[in-house]
Amino acid sequence: MIQNDKELECTQERIDYFCKILSQMRVTEPPENYVVMSSGFLAEIEKMHAEVMEYLSRHPAELEPVEAT
C-alpha cells in the first residue's frame, strides 16, 4: 500500500514504465506471444493502479504516519 507522496510518485513511474514495455511489445511481438507475455504486466498495472486510486482517495490528514524502524 502506498504510504506517502514519494511512494505514489514511484508507483506512477513504474506504471508508466510497464505501459511503455507493453506498447513496445504490441509492435514487436506476434499476437499469440503478446497475449501470454502481457498478462503479468497488465495484472501488475491493475494492482498498482488500484493502490494509487486508494491513496488518492484519502486526504493527507487521514493518512497514518509511518514510524521509522
Side-chain angles (χ1 to χ4, degrees), residues 14-47:
R14 190 168 179 222
I15 290 170
D16 186 49
Y17 178 69
F18 281 12
C19 287
K20 287 177 182 175
I21 290 172
L22 287 170
S23 292
Q24 183 178 9
M25 284 175 29
R26 291 181 78 224
V27 174
T28 60
E29 295 297 327
E32 57 276 1
N33 288 1
Y34 178 77
V35 171
V36 173
M37 295 172 66
S38 66
S39 62
F41 288 105
L42 292 169
E44 189 64 20
I45 289 169
E46 190 171 324
K47 177 184 164 215

Side-chain angles (χ1 to χ4, degrees), residues 1-12 15 47-66:
M1 178 188 304
I2 298 171
Q3 299 293 323
N4 55 53
D5 287 347
K6 179 63 178 166
E7 290 181 8
L8 172 66
E9 182 182 334
C10 290
T11 301
Q12 290 172 320
I15 290 170
K47 177 184 164 215
M48 291 185 294
H49 189 265
E51 291 176 4
V52 167
M53 297 306 290
E54 181 178 334
Y55 179 78
L56 291 176
S57 70
R58 295 177 286 152
H59 188 274
E62 298 174 33
L63 300 174
E64 296 179 23
V66 176

